[in-house]
């Protein structure tokens, strides 16, 4: 499977943004400019990839879906839908019902 250059760029920018402790405005602007350049298949792949990021972060006690929704509402909704379609036992309930340590 060959990934398109806009998809690779969006994935790289989003991974840097999700891993960073602080967010620079230029990062958000760059992400918001690359998202509209994605075709429907790339957006679907990206949302599924983000859904897995949310699951991984939920296991660590983090909540990424809210950040994604604030970044781009449509991307956040699509990511939430992708979470609902993950395999049984994984998904939005795993992300929402994480236990915080004392």
């Amino acid at each position: 499977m060959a990934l398109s250059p806009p998809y690779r760029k969006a994935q790289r920018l989003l991974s840097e943004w999700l891993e960073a402790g602080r967010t620079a405005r230029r990062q958000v602007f760059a992400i918001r400019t690359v998202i509209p350049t994605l075709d429907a298949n790339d957006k679907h792949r990206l949302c599924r990839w983000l859904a897995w990021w949310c699951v991984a972060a939920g296991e660590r006690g983090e909540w990424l879906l809210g950040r994604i929704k604030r970044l781009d509402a449509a991307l956040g909704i699509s990511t939430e839908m992708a979470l609902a379609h993950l395999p049984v036992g994984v998904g939005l309930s795993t992300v929402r019902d994480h236990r915080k340590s004392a």
Side-chain angles (χ1 to χ4, degrees):
M1 170 171 68
L3 301 173
S4 69
Y7 175 83
R8 288 192 315 257
K9 183 176 182 179
Q11 193 177 37
R12 182 180 39 98
L13 290 170
L14 280 164
S15 65
E16 289 171 0
W17 177 71
L18 290 169
E19 289 176 349
R22 293 179 55 199
T23 302
R25 289 183 187 170
R26 60 178 150 43
Q27 273 184 310
V28 172
F29 180 78
I31 295 167
R32 286 181 177 161
T33 55
V34 78
I35 289 172
T37 65
L38 300 172
D39 64 14
N41 288 331
D42 284 344
K43 283 183 184 176
H44 175 72
R45 280 188 205 115
L46 189 66
C47 289
R48 190 158 171 94
W49 178 76
L50 285 170
W52 282 111
W53 261 84
C54 289
V55 170
E59 294 292 327
R60 294 188 309 266
E62 298 175 27
W63 175 250
L64 291 182
L65 190 57
R67 272 184 82 189
I68 295 167
K69 284 182 177 180
R70 284 191 306 275
L71 173 72
D72 185 87
L75 189 67
I77 291 168
S78 298
T79 302
E80 192 170 11
M81 289 171 50
L83 271 166
H85 290 97
L86 290 180
V88 176
V90 179
L92 197 54
S93 62
T94 305
V95 175
R96 279 194 182 143
D97 300 333
H98 64 274
R99 196 182 328 169
K100 293 185 179 181
S101 60

